Amino acid sequence: MSNPIRFDGRVAIVTGAGGGLGRHYALELARRGARVVVNDLGGARDGTGHSDAALAVVEEIRAAGGEAMSNGGNVADFDQMAEMVAKAKEAWGGVHILINNAGVLRDKTFAKMDPADFEFVVRVHLIGSAFATKACWETFRDQNYGRVLMTASSTGLFGNFGQANYGAAKMGLAGLTKTLSIEGAKNNIRVNTIAPTAGTRMTEDLFPDAAFKAFAPEKVAPGALYLVSEDAPTNVILGAGAGAFQTSYVTLTRGALLTGDDLSPEGVAAHWAAIADRTDEIVPRTGAEQSMSIGKLLQGG
């Protein structure tokens, strides 16, 4: 085993940390030396109601000898996120880690989904994560250090019946990660995505009892903490659940160059097998690599 991963001297914000995965992230960060802002708006998984969950987690951390403060800010309100970051900096001098974990569910088939429910879920997951990250971004740049973890989902990466709003938001977060990892590189800001599978308030009626226990949140937390550590990679999508960890990639096939009569819908159909052939597919690090791969085809490569 390598040296223990510690967070002494670091300040971490965890959104949606009143229960489930966020709670375990906050507790483990504090156990490993971080000062933790426990953010949680509270309420039900559809985003309604209110609770004192954040205060309870803060008390857990303090009882174990750690340092923490609670925050009830709404991630979908940028001013509240900016205020949260300002209070953390006032108390502890900086912010070094952000785990965007807050989320809601309003599942229905797309045919039956109210547009307001689509917008609300996207706003909490995608816009909320962008707002929280933006609130931290200049601090990360000024101190030349930042670690950000977005929370995607297998629904966003691969699709799931009845979760169009959730899937759209979660895939958006993977895209946000990719761009921010590029923009943050020169300032030692590393940005990653985790796609967890865990038994939490969000999934309690989706898992049988035995599976719910097997997919305990504490079996996801090691991956999350590694991705916000000092030696973390960047631009990673990590699947995590029940102690299993996998990396996921957005790939691009080598493709086929069509000319003449083949440059037509019929030509695309005729050459589909070559276009979709995954032999020697590539994993672009930036969007520019798609254009570069086309350039190679034009050059006969």
Side-chain angles (χ1 to χ4, degrees):
M1 294 290 288
S2 57
N3 292 330
I5 292 176
R6 297 284 304 177
F7 298 94
D8 302 290
R10 302 299 188 195
V11 176
I13 296 173
V14 184
T15 69
L21 286 166
R23 171 179 170 270
H24 282 279
Y25 298 160
L27 291 173
E28 187 64 9
L29 282 163
R31 190 180 74 82
R32 290 172 178 263
R35 295 164 170 164
V36 182
V37 178
V38 180
N39 164 268
D40 199 275
L41 186 62
R45 72 181 185 182
D46 67 354
T48 59
H50 179 75
S51 78
D52 294 322
L55 289 171
V57 177
V58 167
E59 289 307 311
E60 282 189 82
I61 290 172
R62 289 175 176 170
E67 292 186 65
M69 70 170 70
S70 65
N71 177 270
N74 181 356
V75 296
D77 185 316
F78 178 73
D79 289 341
Q80 292 185 31
M81 292 297 93
E83 182 182 9
M84 174 181 68
V85 172
K87 287 181 177 178
K89 291 176 67 176
E90 180 182 359
W92 294 324
V95 174
H96 308 92
I97 295 164
L98 170 66
I99 298 182
N100 287 303
N101 175 74
V104 294
L105 287 177
R106 290 189 178 181
D107 293 352
K108 284 185 179 178
T109 63
F110 193 61
K112 297 179 179 179
M113 186 177 294
D114 189 300
D117 285 340
F118 193 100
E119 182 178 15
F120 180 72
V121 169
V122 170
R123 184 165 185 82
V124 171
H125 286 276
L126 179 56
I127 305 301
S129 295
F131 281 176
T133 305
K134 178 65 174 176
C136 296
W137 198 253
E138 285 308 309
T139 297
F140 291 161
R141 282 164 50 87
D142 290 344
Q143 65 197 13
N144 211 44
Y145 187 96
R147 298 291 182 266
V148 181
L149 185 62
M150 307 292 184
T151 303
S153 167
S154 58
T155 295
L157 299 175
F158 312 115
N160 195 36
F161 188 90
Q163 291 191 308
N165 49 4
Y166 185 71
K170 291 304 193 183
M171 191 58 169
L173 285 166
L176 180 61
T177 291
K178 290 181 174 299
T179 291
L180 293 186
S181 68
I182 296 168
E183 292 187 8
K186 68 180 180 180
N187 293 111
N188 191 25
I189 304 170
R190 302 181 190 179
V191 188
N192 293 294
T193 300
I194 193 166
T197 302
T200 68
R201 178 184 64 175
M202 294 272 282
T203 59
E204 61 188 346
D205 56 356
L206 304 178
F207 283 110
D209 287 344
F212 190 84
K213 294 177 181 177
F215 284 88
E218 54 264 36
K219 296 182 180 181
V220 170
L225 265 68
Y226 170 62
L227 291 180
V228 296
S229 68
E230 184 168 352
D231 295 326
T234 195
N235 194 19
V236 167
I237 301 172
L238 181 70
F245 299 92
Q246 305 160 295
T247 52
S248 182
Y249 299 93
V250 178
T251 66
L252 189 67
T253 66
R254 297 292 176 176
L257 178 65
L258 305 183
T259 60
D261 291 342
D262 282 338
L263 187 55
S264 63
E266 294 79 11
V268 172
H271 293 277
W272 187 253
I275 293 169
D277 184 359
R278 298 188 66 181
T279 302
D280 296 327
E281 66 185 354
I282 61 175
V283 182
R285 298 293 296 179
T286 71
E289 291 187 37
Q290 180 173 342
S291 299
M292 293 167 61
S293 70
I294 293 172
K296 288 182 179 179
L297 286 174
L298 291 171
Q299 295 169 10

